[in-house]
Amino acid sequence: MAPPFDWWAKGGHKGTPVVVKMENPNWSMVELEAPSEDDFLIRNSPTDPRAKARGKNAKQLTWVLLLKAHRAAGCLTSIASTLGSIGPAFRRRVASRRTDTEDVPSFENRTVRTGFYTCIKLFLWLSLLLLGFEIAAYYKGWHHFVASGHHLKYIFTTPFGVKDVFEWLYSHWVLIRVGLIAPPLQLLANVCIVLFLTQSLDRLILCLCCLWIRFKKIKPIPKEDAVAALENGFFPMVLVQIPMCNEKEVYQHSIAAMCKLEWPRSKILIQVLDDSDDSITQLLIKEEVLKWKHEGANIVYQHREIRDGYKAGNLKSAMSCKYVKDYEYVAIFDADFQPSTDFLKRTIPHFKDNEDVGLVQARWSFVNKEENLLTRLQNINLSFHFEVEQQVNGVLINFFGFNGTAGVWRIKALEDSGGWLERTTVEDMDIAVRAHLQGWKFIFLNDVECQCELPESYEAYRKQQHRWHSGPMQLFRLCLPDIIHAKISLWKKFNLIFLFFLLRKLILPFYSFTLFCIILPMTMFIPEAELPAWVVCYVPATMSFLNVLPAPKSFPFIVPYLLFENTMSVTKFNAMISGLFQLGNAYEWVVTKKSGRSSEGDLVSLVEEDPKHQFQGSELSLEEIEANILQEQKVRKKKHNRIYRKELALAFLLLMASARSLLSVQGIHFYFLLFQGIAFLLVGLDLIGEQVS
C-alpha cells in the first residue's frame, strides 16, 4: 500500500479516494474518486465556464447518486438477509422442541407455572372464534351497525329464524357484549388508564427533578477534612466481599480489580465468598486467590458446603467471622463487577462526620451494552434507573433501594438493621428498607461508576427480571406491618408504601400487561369498549422518550424499547403475582449467566500479568484443567434457544386483534397491535438473544 501522503506527490488527482464496502459479502468493493477542488469551481475557467460547470455538476451528482445507491443496496440486502434468517430460525426452534417448561426446579409446582399460560391460550382460542364471527359479519355487511339504538332496533325488528342461524347467533352475541361484557371491560380499562396516568406522572416528576439537579449541579460532596484525612494517611478498616457461585467466566477479572484497589493492605481484607458446587470452579478460584496472596494482597477464600439462603446466606455467613469486628465498613461487589482503583477513595470519605449515613451506592456501567439489541434495551432501562430514580431519591429523601453490589455499607448500620436475612430473593432491598426504618441515610454517587455485564441472552435476562419483580412483592408482604408501626414521618411511610412498593413495583407491571396485552386486544373484539389513541400511542411514546433521555445514543432504539418493555410485562406480571401470593416459583433464585466480557483496559492488564503463579499446588494437573476447559468451550459453542409459549400465544392474539381492527378501521390501534404482535413473536421464538447451554 502506498504511503497516505503519496496523493500530494501525484499531480493527476486532487480528490480523496473513497472506498465503499458493502455489508453483503456478495457485493464487491468499489473505489470511487471524490470530487476534487476544481469540481466545485463554477466561474473560474477562461474557456466556457458554464459548460465546465455543467460537466462538473454532473460528475458530482453521479458520484453522490452512486454512493447513495450502494448504501441503499447494502441496507436492503442486510434487511433481506435478516428477514430470510427468521424462517430457518423458526424451523430450528420447532424442530428442537425446547420450551420454557424444561428445567423446572423440583420445588416448583408445574400446575401453578402453566396456569397463567392456560388462561392466555383460552383467550387466544376465543379470539380466534370471534375473529371468524367478525369476518363473516363483515362480508354480510353487518359491520356498518354499531352498538347504538339503531343497531339494537335493527336486531329486535328483523325477523330471525331457521333461515339464518348465524345471523341469530351474531345478533345475540352483540346483545351480550353490549349489555354484559362492554361495561365491566370499559370500567377495567378506565381503572388501568388512571393507574397508567398516575405512574406516568410519577415518572415525569422524577425527570423534572433530575433536570433540576443537573441545572443546580447538585451532587454529594465529602467534607474537606475527610479528604484531607486520607491524604494524611488516616485510612479506616474496610472489608471487601465478593459473593459468587459457579461463575468461572468472571472471577479472575473481579478478584484482580479488588486486589488493585488503592488502599493500604493493612487496612483492607478481601473475602472471596464462593458458593460454587462445581469442583473445577472451586479449584480455579482457589488458585486465583493463592496467586494474589503471593503478590501480597490481603485476601481470603471462604466456601460453604451447604448453600442455604443463596446470596443472603453467603453474606450472613461472612459477617459472622470473628475478625469482622475489627472493620468499620464493608464494600460488596458481585462476581462480574470491576471497580476502578480509586473506588474506595471516592466513596469512604462520604461517611466521615456523617454518622447517620449507612450506605454509599455507586452507579453501574456496562462493558457489553452494545453487544446486541437486548443489551442496548437493558442499558436504556438501567441508565434511567440510576440517572433518574436513584439520583433523585438519594438527593431528595436520602433513601433508595440498595442495588446489591457496587456499594459500601457502614457495618454498624447492617448490625443495627438486623443483618442479612434469607426471607426473600431481594436481600439487598430488604436490608435497605430495614435500615431506612431505623433512620439511616443513603448517598448515591452518580459520578462513580463500576463496570459490570448485562445478560446477553433472553433466558438469562428473563430469570433475572423474575427475581427482581417477585422479590419486592415478598418483601412488601413482610415489611408492611413494620412500616406502619415504624417511628418515621408520615411522608416516609407514604413514600415506602405507595411510591416505592405499590406504584413502581406492583402497579407498573400490572397495568402494563393488563392494559396493552389484554384490554387493548379485547376492545378490538368488543368495540363498545375503547381505548383512546393517546393512551395507546402518545403517552407511551412520551414516557419512552423520557426513559431514553439518560442514554441519548439509544434514541434510534426508542420504538423497539417501547415494544420490548410491553413484551417483558408478561414476565414481570407473572413474577409480581407469584411474589404477592407466594406461588410456586416465588423463591426461585438463579444466578445470572455471565459471558466474561471485559473492558479493553482489563484485557491489556491480563495480558501483562505473569502467569507463573497460576495452578500452584492444585490437586489436578495443568493438562487436566485445560482439557476440562476446552471440553466445556466445545459444549458452549452449541446454541440452545427455546420457544416461550406465553409470549408466542400473546403474539398470535395481538396479531389476530390487529386483523380485527382492520375491519373497523382502527387507525393507530392497528399499527400498535401489529408491531407489538411482531415483537412478541420475535421474543417468543427467542430471536432477540442467543442462549448458551
Side-chain angles (χ1 to χ4, degrees):
M1 181 182 294
F5 296 103
D6 281 0
W7 300 333
W8 303 105
K10 299 177 183 179
H13 298 287
K14 297 182 180 179
T16 303
V18 177
V19 177
V20 180
K21 292 185 178 180
M22 304 309 302
E23 295 183 7
N24 190 330
N26 294 327
W27 290 76
S28 60
M29 190 184 304
V30 181
E31 183 172 323
L32 304 175
E33 182 181 328
S36 64
E37 295 178 1
D38 291 341
D39 294 340
F40 295 97
L41 299 178
I42 304 296
R43 300 182 182 276
N44 63 345
S45 175
T47 60
D48 196 10
R50 294 183 180 180
K52 183 176 181 180
R54 286 195 296 270
K56 298 301 180 182
N57 288 337
K59 183 185 294 185
Q60 297 168 30
L61 181 61
T62 302
W63 179 80
V64 171
L65 290 178
L66 187 58
L67 182 60
K68 288 184 178 294
H70 278 81
R71 287 179 178 174
C75 181
L76 290 175
T77 52
S78 177
I79 294 175
S81 61
T82 302
L83 294 176
S85 64
I86 292 179
F90 175 75
R91 289 194 295 270
R92 288 196 301 270
R93 303 294 189 273
V94 175
S96 65
R97 297 182 180 179
R98 294 175 60 90
T99 66
D100 54 343
T101 59
E102 297 182 16
D103 304 326
V104 178
S106 58
F107 60 82
E108 186 174 338
N109 189 333
R110 288 180 178 270
T111 304
V112 173
R113 186 182 181 95
T114 58
F116 188 37
Y117 169 66
T118 302
C119 294
I120 297 176
K121 191 165 59 173
L122 290 175
F123 188 28
L124 173 62
W125 285 110
L126 179 60
S127 64
L128 182 61
L129 177 64
L130 292 178
L131 180 61
F133 254 63
E134 296 298 336
I135 292 176
Y138 179 84
Y139 283 107
K140 284 180 174 290
W142 299 341
H143 63 287
H144 295 295
F145 298 97
V146 296
S148 62
H150 176 64
H151 189 185
L152 297 178
K153 182 179 179 181
Y154 169 82
I155 292 176
F156 284 118
T157 57
T158 303
F160 297 110
V162 293
K163 65 175 185 177
D164 198 341
V165 176
F166 179 80
E167 187 174 0
W168 180 88
L169 290 173
Y170 185 76
S171 62
H172 281 71
W173 156 243
V174 173
L175 286 174
I176 292 173
R177 82 185 190 194
V178 170
L180 298 178
I181 302 179
L185 179 61
Q186 186 66 61
L187 177 62
L188 179 60
N190 293 338
V191 170
C192 288
I193 290 174
V194 172
L195 297 177
F196 178 36
L197 294 178
T198 304
Q199 198 274 335
S200 300
L201 179 62
D202 172 62
R203 183 150 297 196
L204 178 61
I205 292 174
L206 286 174
C207 290
L208 292 176
C209 292
C210 183
L211 291 175
W212 178 75
I213 290 171
R214 278 199 168 191
F215 178 74
K216 293 290 186 177
K217 297 181 180 179
I218 300 174
K219 68 176 184 177
I221 300 177
K223 296 181 179 180
E224 294 182 1
D225 57 342
V227 178
L230 292 182
E231 294 176 352
N232 294 328
F234 295 99
F235 292 88
M237 300 288 285
V238 178
L239 188 67
V240 178
Q241 295 178 337
I242 317 174
M244 59 179 64
C245 179
N246 295 327
E247 295 176 281
K248 63 171 66 69
E249 299 86 359
V250 293
Y251 74 93
Q252 281 184 307
H253 305 300
S254 179
I255 294 176
M258 306 311 158
C259 292
K260 293 178 181 179
L261 289 172
E262 296 173 353
W263 207 257
R265 293 185 176 180
S266 61
K267 299 287 186 178
I268 188 174
L269 174 64
I270 301 168
Q271 287 181 312
V272 179
L273 311 176
D274 184 23
D275 264 4
S276 304
D277 55 9
D278 175 57
S279 58
I280 297 297
T281 304
Q282 294 176 28
L283 179 60
L284 292 173
I285 296 175
K286 284 181 183 178
E287 292 291 346
E288 187 70 13
V289 170
L290 182 61
K291 181 192 79 171
W292 283 103
K293 231 176 200 180
H294 290 164
E295 295 288 342
N298 193 9
I299 185 172
V300 296
Y301 174 86
Q302 290 185 207
H303 178 265
R304 294 194 306 163
E305 295 295 336
I306 302 176
R307 192 188 168 209
D308 288 338
Y310 303 111
K311 181 180 176 181
N314 199 0
L315 294 173
K316 184 178 180 179
S317 174
M319 294 300 294
S320 65
C321 297
K322 292 182 179 180
Y323 55 77
V324 172
K325 67 179 185 298
D326 299 327
Y327 293 84
E328 189 175 356
Y329 306 104
V330 55
I332 303 172
F333 300 95
D334 284 348
D336 60 315
F337 277 72
Q338 304 164 43
S340 58
T341 56
D342 62 346
F343 180 87
L344 294 178
K345 289 185 176 180
R346 299 177 68 182
T347 53
I348 296 295
H350 290 274
F351 289 100
K352 185 171 176 56
D353 298 330
N354 291 320
E355 298 300 325
D356 55 350
V357 172
L359 167 68
V360 175
Q361 172 75 59
R363 72 172 295 167
W364 302 354
S365 60
F366 311 103
V367 297
N368 61 338
K369 63 183 178 181
E370 297 182 354
E371 181 63 25
N372 55 37
L373 179 60
L374 179 60
T375 58
R376 291 177 184 273
L377 300 181
Q378 292 178 69
N379 180 56
I380 295 175
N381 245 347
L382 291 171
S383 295
F384 182 87
H385 169 70
F386 286 107
E387 184 83 16
V388 179
E389 293 178 341
Q390 299 291 75
Q391 183 173 213
V392 170
N393 289 325
V395 170
L396 297 184
I397 58 178
N398 297 119
F399 168 72
F400 46 82
F402 175 45
N403 293 116
T405 178
V408 182
W409 277 94
R410 189 190 298 270
I411 294 181
K412 182 181 177 182
L414 291 177
E415 295 172 347
D416 187 39
S417 306
W420 298 103
L421 299 180
E422 307 98 323
R423 57 182 183 171
T424 70
T425 58
V426 283
E427 71 293 326
D428 46 8
M429 186 181 294
D430 188 358
I431 190 66
V433 171
R434 286 185 281 119
H436 181 57
L437 295 179
Q438 293 297 324
W440 292 97
K441 295 181 179 180
F442 302 164
I443 292 177
F444 177 74
L445 303 179
N446 192 53
D447 57 342
V448 179
E449 297 184 359
C450 189
Q451 288 189 334
C452 61
E453 279 190 28
L454 290 166
E456 295 181 8
S457 71
Y458 178 68
E459 175 69 12
Y461 180 62
R462 186 167 171 263
K463 290 181 178 179
Q464 180 198 70
Q465 292 300 303
H466 184 278
R467 186 176 77 249
W468 285 6
H469 287 81
S470 174
M473 291 299 97
Q474 304 166 18
L475 182 60
F476 179 63
R477 294 174 69 256
L478 295 170
C479 283
L480 184 58
D482 296 333
I483 296 173
I484 294 174
H485 297 100
K487 295 179 180 180
I488 57 177
S489 64
L490 289 176
W491 157 244
K492 290 184 177 180
K493 291 182 180 181
F494 172 80
N495 175 68
L496 272 175
I497 295 174
F498 181 73
L499 295 179
F500 187 76
F501 279 113
L502 291 181
L503 189 61
R504 298 167 188 166
K505 304 295 189 298
L506 188 150
I507 291 177
L508 177 59
F510 171 78
Y511 85 73
S512 183
F513 172 74
T514 307
L515 192 62
F516 297 111
C517 300
I518 299 298
I519 295 178
L520 179 58
M522 284 186 69
T523 58
M524 298 298 102
F525 299 101
I526 316 292
E528 293 77 19
E530 60 179 359
L531 287 178
W534 58 269
V535 174
V536 177
C537 179
Y538 305 125
V539 176
T542 303
M543 292 301 103
S544 297
F545 176 79
L546 294 178
N547 272 32
V548 177
L549 280 178
K553 293 183 179 180
S554 301
F555 270 105
F557 303 94
I558 187 169
V559 174
Y561 171 75
L562 172 61
L563 298 175
F564 181 69
E565 279 302 291
N566 289 334
T567 305
M568 283 304 300
S569 67
V570 181
T571 297
K572 296 176 181 179
F573 178 83
N574 191 22
M576 182 267 292
I577 295 296
S578 298
L580 189 63
F581 297 104
Q582 303 296 288
L583 301 181
N585 58 345
Y587 288 93
E588 182 180 2
W589 212 109
V590 180
V591 177
T592 305
K593 289 185 178 297
K594 313 295 192 310
S595 62
R597 300 187 187 278
S598 300
S599 63
E600 184 178 348
D602 296 320
L603 294 175
V604 172
S605 65
L606 283 177
V607 171
E608 294 175 350
E609 286 180 1
D610 185 2
K612 63 184 179 181
H613 296 296
Q614 294 188 15
F615 307 109
Q616 289 184 356
S618 62
E619 298 175 2
L620 296 178
S621 66
L622 178 61
E623 291 76 13
E624 290 175 326
I625 293 177
E626 289 178 344
N628 282 323
I629 294 176
L630 288 175
Q631 181 64 27
E632 183 175 329
Q633 288 176 347
K634 291 179 181 179
V635 175
R636 285 177 56 83
K637 290 180 181 179
K638 298 179 181 179
K639 303 290 184 179
H640 296 285
N641 296 77
R642 305 176 184 230
I643 293 177
Y644 298 97
R645 302 182 304 163
K646 291 190 290 290
E647 287 82 352
L648 211 54
L650 281 168
F652 292 125
L653 172 62
L654 292 169
L655 291 175
M656 282 193 293
S658 68
R660 170 65 182 89
S661 70
L662 284 178
L663 303 181
S664 304
V665 194
Q666 290 290 334
I668 194 66
H669 296 71
F670 164 73
Y671 294 105
F672 181 87
L673 288 166
L674 176 63
F675 290 119
Q676 189 64 70
I678 293 174
F680 267 102
L681 184 64
L682 295 176
V683 172
L685 295 174
D686 201 6
L687 295 174
I688 195 172
E690 293 292 338
Q691 170 64 41
V692 181
S693 176

